[in-house]
Amino acid sequence: RPTWSEKRLVSILSPTNDRPALPDPGPALVHPLLWRNVLLTPLEDRILARDVLTGRPWPDPDDTAVLYRMGRPLAVPREAVVGTPRFTLTTDDGRLYARLGSPVTGVADRELADVESELVCLDLERAEGRLLARVTASEAMGGETKWAFEGAPLVTNGRVLALLRKVHPQTRLVAVCFEVRPVGRRGHAFQLVWRSEVCSALEHVPDNRNVVTSLLPTTDGRRLFVSTDFGVVVALDLETGDPVWATTYPGDTLASAGDEDRTTPTALVPPVVHDGLLFVAPNDARRILAIDAADGFVRWSRPFPDAVRHVLGVGGDRLVVSGDSLWGLDVQTGAVVWAKRRFEPESFGYGRGQLVGSSVYWPTRTGIAVVGQRDGRPSADPATPFWIDLARRGVQPGNLIVGPERLVVSGPTTTTVLSPSSGRP
């Protein structure tokens, strides 16, 4: 049963319910992160921190749960907004990295509001969340305006890798690499290591539209991979930012939409790399691709009957993906090995699940299904429940974190933490 919950402001953009016939308040936008026993929750202009066991604010139980807040208020965009924001975090070596600011990533030509975004680095290990360094998108681009960071940066071997977007006069994606280095006696700063153009797109975005996206890159330790949602997947050298390969694919999701009706895809589907293969589910094509991470050769490409909203990972030689339904694919061929099809809207998948041990925890609109990664069947382990009824517990469904002592469900407006031992069987 729930041990504690927290209602929170979601977004200044007030995203609408993407399924109006269903009684829910809209998509689950917030992807919290668990660092030790601290639950870290990203919002647009702040980061919340609570002890996951008790729900008390961290590091000071008598203070508010706001670990960090931007120094300026957010401005509501004046022009129309297309897309859905997603809020993510990264931790590495006791430091927390986040993208804060306006959710807008593609700024309309006539937008007058200040829609600046920034990256921040907080010291969790040594300074209980004190701000260590920050950099704005315009600073990252040498003073050029109208640029915006995508999602939270990727951090590996001390390097902070992020994507930036600009939409006018054409859509451009740029990757940047920073290191957070000491400056002066006590200060730190984001120091630019390299900046590299990923691609430019001829995709037409009306001048009076703001665009919201949340691209996240992936790395195998040698290359940085970007699924651009522009019909191309790009690999960059992690040390220099130089292009290694680019692989195109046929886009089909937006092909039949008129310019004025065209919507920006908004699923959070960063590529997954496993055993030399890069698995990509682009937002602009209803298909899944397996690409050789070394040379960009497409091993297999499979059209998909459902829109893929999450690529959960690889377990038991199965690539596990979810949307309205849950699927297990053979990693070598892309063949569907098992599927949990859902045809009733109230049973559709809802939020991001998680691979745990040999199981998949998959959130739906009414509960959490727990099935085996290899065969999709309920677990034979009596200690592993195969269905957790959220509706009966009065818990809002959403994105999951399965921890050793708590189960976190981050819904559209509420984060709820459940304990495995606080309720009756």
Side-chain angles (χ1 to χ4, degrees):
R1 69 182 181 192
T3 57
W4 61 270
S5 64
E6 176 182 54
K7 288 189 177 294
R8 44 175 167 67
L9 175 68
V10 178
S11 171
I12 59 172
L13 299 184
S14 300
T16 57
N17 181 2
D18 57 356
R19 298 182 186 275
L22 296 175
D24 65 65
L29 309 180
V30 177
H31 296 262
L33 187 148
L34 196 59
W35 178 76
R36 298 179 181 172
N37 275 342
V38 180
L39 182 67
L40 300 159
T41 303
L43 300 178
E44 285 170 319
D45 63 344
R46 71 197 69 182
I47 299 169
L48 309 180
R50 291 185 181 274
D51 187 302
V52 73
L53 301 179
T54 65
R56 295 177 179 175
W58 182 90
D60 184 356
D62 298 322
D63 202 351
T64 68
V66 178
L67 181 67
Y68 176 79
R69 187 195 305 264
M70 289 180 61
R72 64 182 186 279
L74 286 182
V76 178
R78 299 184 181 184
E79 301 297 328
V81 176
V82 177
T84 305
R86 310 284 172 173
F87 305 112
T88 53
L89 294 170
T90 302
T91 56
D92 180 75
D93 193 27
R95 293 178 176 179
L96 175 68
Y97 299 85
R99 184 260 192 218
L100 298 175
S102 171
V104 171
T105 53
V107 185
D109 257 359
R110 295 181 293 180
E111 180 59 64
L112 299 177
D114 179 11
V115 291
E116 182 74 276
S117 59
E118 64 184 41
L119 297 184
V120 297
C121 173
L122 309 183
D123 191 339
L124 300 176
E125 182 79 49
R126 302 170 184 84
E128 297 183 328
R130 180 179 62 86
L131 177 67
L132 203 60
R134 63 182 289 272
V135 61
T136 66
S138 58
E139 290 170 345
M141 295 303 296
E144 190 176 346
T145 61
K146 300 286 187 177
W147 286 91
F149 286 110
E150 289 276 346
L154 174 68
V155 185
T156 178
N157 296 327
R159 292 199 162 184
V160 183
L161 302 134
L163 301 175
L164 296 105
R165 177 186 298 253
K166 187 176 184 179
V167 296
H168 297 297
Q170 63 178 348
T171 301
R172 294 171 59 196
L173 270 181
V174 167
V176 291
C177 176
F178 296 104
E179 289 183 354
V180 177
R181 300 171 180 167
V183 176
R185 293 185 176 182
R186 295 186 176 181
H188 288 72
F190 284 92
Q191 300 287 333
L192 184 67
V193 179
W194 54 257
R195 183 167 53 222
S196 178
E197 190 95 12
V198 177
C199 72
S200 298
L202 299 179
E203 184 82 31
H204 173 66
V205 178
D207 291 349
N208 62 341
R209 298 282 185 93
N210 290 303
V211 177
V212 174
T213 54
S214 302
L215 293 183
L216 299 177
T218 302
T219 183
D220 63 354
R222 297 176 57 192
R223 293 164 286 258
L224 183 73
F225 304 107
V226 183
S227 178
T228 65
D229 292 340
F230 298 153
V232 62
V233 181
V234 177
L236 304 177
D237 185 275
L238 199 60
E239 289 297 317
T240 64
D242 295 334
V244 179
W245 53 257
T247 296
T248 60
Y249 56 85
D252 49 27
T253 303
L254 305 179
S256 61
D259 287 341
E260 292 304 318
D261 298 326
R262 183 170 299 178
T263 58
T264 300
T266 56
L268 192 64
V269 281
V272 168
V273 64
H274 171 79
D275 197 22
L277 286 179
L278 186 73
F279 299 101
V280 182
N283 269 309
D284 61 335
R286 190 164 283 192
R287 64 179 57 243
I288 297 178
L289 302 95
I291 303 173
D292 191 299
D295 57 18
F297 178 77
V298 178
R299 295 283 187 88
W300 53 260
S301 175
R302 179 169 298 279
F304 216 66
D306 286 359
V308 175
R309 289 194 287 274
H310 303 286
V311 180
L312 299 183
V314 176
D317 295 327
R318 302 289 182 258
L319 176 68
V320 183
V321 300
S322 68
D324 289 343
S325 304
L326 183 68
W327 305 78
L329 310 182
D330 185 281
V331 295
Q332 298 301 325
T333 66
V336 176
V337 179
W338 57 264
K340 298 296 179 184
R341 298 298 305 269
R342 293 292 185 265
F343 301 100
E344 306 82 13
E346 62 270 15
S347 300
F348 284 169
Y350 189 87
R352 184 178 180 87
Q354 189 175 336
L355 305 187
V356 183
S358 60
S359 299
V360 184
Y361 281 65
W362 179 48
T364 71
R365 293 179 175 273
T366 56
I368 302 170
V370 185
V371 301
Q373 295 169 9
R374 186 165 185 79
D375 55 15
R377 297 177 179 176
S379 172
D381 183 358
T384 303
F386 60 86
W387 178 253
I388 301 171
D389 193 329
L390 296 181
R392 183 171 62 84
R393 291 169 169 82
V395 175
Q396 193 179 65
N399 303 311
L400 301 184
I401 299 177
V402 184
E405 297 182 67
R406 294 293 186 269
L407 171 63
V408 182
V409 185
S410 179
T413 60
T414 304
T415 297
T416 306
V417 178
L418 298 92
S419 168
S421 59
S422 61
R424 295 167 59 186

